[in-house]
Amino acid sequence: MNRLLPVLLLALAAPAAAGGPWRASETNTRGWQLMTPEERIEHQARIRGFRSYDECRSYQLAHHRLMEERARQRGIELPRGRRDVCEHLRQAAEPAARAD
Amino acid sequence: MLSPARNRLTIPLLLLASTAAPVFWALPEDLPPLRSLGIILGWAGCGMLFGSLLLMLRETWLSHWLGGLAAMYRWHHRAGVIAYVVLLAHPLALAADALPASPALAWQTLSPFANGWAVRLGWLSLLLLMFGLAATFASRIPYRIWRWLHAALGIGVVLGLGHLLQLGIDEPVLPLLALAVLLLGWRFIRDDAGLAARPYIVRSATPIADGVVEISLRPLAQPIAADAGQFVVVAFHSGAGFRGCGQFHPFTISSIAGDGEIRIGVKALGDCTRHLQSIATGVPARVHGAFGHFLAGRPTTAQLWLAGGIGVTPFVALLRGGPLHQPTTLIYLYRSETDAAYLHELQTLAAADRLLSLQAYATGEEPPELASLLPASHDLSNRECHVCGPPAMVAAVRKALCQRGITTRHIHFENFDFR
Ligand SMILES: Cc1cc2nc3c(=O)[nH]c(=O)nc-3n(C[C@H](O)[C@H](O)[C@H](O)COP(=O)(O)OP(=O)(O)OC[C@H]3O[C@@H](n4cnc5c(N)ncnc54)[C@H](O)[C@@H]3O)c2cc1C
């Protein structure tokens, strides 16, 4: 027990340093308030699954178009997202921020 | 042996660590409070479940580190219940987050019908956890049915991880899934299928009271390492005209011979143990252990031992091992003379050992009058008390001893009831 507990505590605490999963929210997803709970979950899962910026960006553009269309049908103005959800996939060479 | 305080703290600390680690890792930022709470509850429940999975492993070295198999199972059960409640609150908090926008949106957040497989798997997992836990509380269900219902909990854990994978969180979840499969597989292969157990054979089976048989088991390979009064988990298989039930059940070693042969007294308490009353010589068995330290490390001060029914076996084991070194009173409670296992042997041992005083009482069907059976407070001071028997009797005796001023530090007990 003397040896076991510290080892276990370390092993279990190790992932704490890694940072949690990316999460979709009002601040990083345009049209969040126009999405159903199912769409929000799917959107979050898809963004988490992208491994390249281009894939992510083309999904993002399609998502924007869909949300703009929904906003037009409801006659409301779509607030701009404050963060680019694909930003983490962009290489350091192209640092410009683009709001989602 | 570990100090009692360290013993008590090890498992809660372990569970705290296994709960806190995923919560720290997944701590939400910049999210509304109720959604953050929902996420925290989900990860906390997940961590708690993993702690609970670790505690179901029946390994002698692990039980030694964690303060005994009884404590491990007790906390395995508690952690499972806490995890279930926390995990049930997880979708509720997420729905509560959506409630101010509209009740319809809150319902959509919860509904398995309005959502994809991510949410459906979450609900399926919770349903299985609920079934598995309900079975845990239903102690009247025969063990052979109970253990399959309980196994639903394992499937619930795997489905819960499937829920996380569907949410796109594969980085820590795939290793967690591997860990869950490892722990469940370990338990199944080493413990339930008996890989960790050693092969023995029934050398003799002698009825020693109504519904009690003493079975001698001879090792066919390296015998297990055990001390008198410890318990083993034993499965009896089919052979020599006997159809074994094959399930592992805990039994206390009532004696150990130099060549590793062990004896256990088996009382007919349920399906399997009733069937064991007719066991024959030559039946193969697998023995895993030994576990427990109920009577280990006793100080040289005077002792009070209290046994209820078949709970007398650890004391019999110790007395068979040689004369006592401290004055000891053994109070043995049983329903009637005919079902009092080991009574004549204990009377002979007491006649030969002046340090042993035996008080045997037939209490009938009603709960015993402990007030008149237990020694007065002044006779109890400076005594170490050891109690073993059915849970209701152990609880009543502990309460009565505390009322007589004995501190819990001096009361040691073993319940014959965990599954
Ligand atoms: C540490 C310990 C030491 C024990 N030592 C002995 C002993 O020396 N002699 C003896 O006769 N009995 C002993 N028991 C009790 C014995 O294990 C049960 O009587 C046996 O497992 C009942 O199995 P069953 O299928 O016949 O009963 P079931 O039909 O399943 O149930 C009948 C009763 O036995 C209890 N029970 C069922 N399965 C278990 C299980 N796996 N573990 C514990 N309780 C269970 C149930 O809660 C119920 O009260 C001990 C139990 C423990 C925990």
Side-chain angles (χ1 to χ4, degrees), chain B residues 13 33 59 68 154 163-164 174 182 194 200 203 245 311 314 321 352 355 371 381 385 401 404:
Chain B
L13 278 177
E59 296 292 339
H163 158 74
L164 290 173
L174 282 175
L182 176 83
Y200 279 67
R203 203 184 54 79
C245 47
L355 287 179
S381 56
C385 303
L401 288 173
R404 280 170 158 72

Side-chain angles (χ1 to χ4, degrees), chain A residues 1-5 7-28 32-49 51 82-83, chain B residues 2 6 9-10 13-14 16-18 21-22 24-32 35 39 43 54 61-62 64-66 98 105 108-109 114-120 164-170 172:
Chain A
M1 160 62 212
N2 269 343
R3 285 159 295 157
L4 174 75
L5 196 60
V7 173
L8 272 170
L9 286 173
L10 271 178
L12 290 167
W22 177 85
R23 291 195 180 94
S25 71
E26 216 160 2
T27 54
N28 59 23
W32 178 254
Q33 58 286 11
L34 302 175
M35 295 163 77
T36 65
E38 186 184 10
E39 286 172 335
R40 289 173 183 175
I41 290 174
E42 247 171 50
H43 167 76
Q44 183 170 262
R46 288 202 64 179
I47 301 266
R48 281 174 182 159
R51 296 288 170 260
R82 273 169 272 156
R83 279 191 210 149
Chain B
L2 299 176
R6 176 104 62 82
L9 280 179
T10 311
L13 278 177
L14 183 81
L16 195 69
S18 76
F24 279 135
W25 174 77
L27 214 55
E29 278 172 30
D30 296 336
L31 291 182
R35 187 165 167 216
I39 291 169
W43 285 103
L54 180 74
W61 54 271
L62 191 65
H64 184 71
W65 274 338
L66 296 179
L105 194 70
Q108 273 181 34
T109 309
N115 283 287
W117 277 104
V119 173
R120 269 178 230 147
L164 290 173
L165 285 177
Q166 283 289 321
L167 290 173
I169 312 172
D170 50 1

Side-chain angles (χ1 to χ4, degrees), chain B residues 12-55:
Chain B
L13 278 177
L14 183 81
L15 288 172
L16 195 69
S18 76
T19 307
V23 170
F24 279 135
W25 174 77
L27 214 55
E29 278 172 30
D30 296 336
L31 291 182
L34 280 170
R35 187 165 167 216
S36 299
L37 178 68
I39 291 169
I40 289 172
L41 289 171
W43 285 103
C46 175
M48 188 65 104
L49 270 185
F50 269 85
S52 173
L53 284 188
L54 180 74
L55 295 175

Side-chain angles (χ1 to χ4, degrees), chain B residues 139-144 231 247-253 264-274 310 313-314 414-419:
Chain B
S139 57
R140 278 158 191 257
I141 300 177
Y143 183 65
R144 73 196 138 80
F231 68 92
Q247 308 150 3
F248 280 91
H249 288 281
F251 298 104
T252 306
I253 299 170
I264 54 171
V266 177
K267 181 164 181 162
L269 288 170
D271 291 357
C272 183
T273 43
R274 205 170 301 121
I310 196 66
T313 40
E414 182 136 278
N415 275 319
F416 267 21
D417 79 325
F418 68 73
R419 283 183 146 172

Side-chain angles (χ1 to χ4, degrees), chain B residues 226-411:
Chain B
D227 287 325
Q230 284 196 292
F231 68 92
V232 282
V233 282
V234 188
F236 292 93
H237 298 288
S238 299
F242 179 82
R243 212 167 149 262
C245 47
Q247 308 150 3
F248 280 91
H249 288 281
F251 298 104
T252 306
I253 299 170
S254 59
S255 78
I256 315 170
D259 59 359
E261 184 161 314
I262 56 169
R263 278 194 275 170
I264 54 171
V266 177
K267 181 164 181 162
L269 288 170
D271 291 357
C272 183
T273 43
R274 205 170 301 121
H275 183 59
L276 283 175
Q277 302 302 310
S278 57
I279 198 163
T281 308
V283 170
R286 291 191 76 84
V287 178
H288 184 189
F291 300 98
H293 44 72
F294 170 53
L295 289 170
R298 281 163 303 121
T300 48
T301 50
Q303 311 268 312
L304 173 70
W305 296 348
L306 277 129
I310 196 66
V312 78
T313 40
F315 305 117
V316 170
L318 216 74
L319 293 169
R320 279 176 170 175
L324 291 168
H325 300 294
Q326 56 272 84
T328 300
T329 303
L330 168 58
I331 300 180
Y332 179 18
L333 310 177
Y334 43 84
R335 284 174 211 267
S336 68
E337 298 269 332
T338 54
D339 62 15
Y342 304 109
L343 182 57
H344 295 301
E345 186 177 345
L346 285 171
Q347 284 164 338
T348 312
L349 285 164
D353 191 339
R354 58 179 184 79
L355 287 179
L356 176 66
S357 147
L358 174 69
Q359 296 173 21
Y361 302 105
T363 59
E365 294 305 313
E366 297 303 310
E369 273 290 324
L370 289 176
S372 59
L373 295 178
L374 292 178
S377 300
H378 57 86
D379 281 340
L380 281 173
S381 56
N382 300 323
R383 282 213 192 212
E384 286 300 310
C385 303
H386 295 265
V387 191
C388 184
M393 174 250 174
V394 172
V397 170
R398 286 174 67 200
K399 191 169 161 215
L401 288 173
C402 287
Q403 281 165 354
R404 280 170 158 72
I406 308 290
T407 52
T408 49
R409 207 156 50 89
H410 297 290
I411 306 173

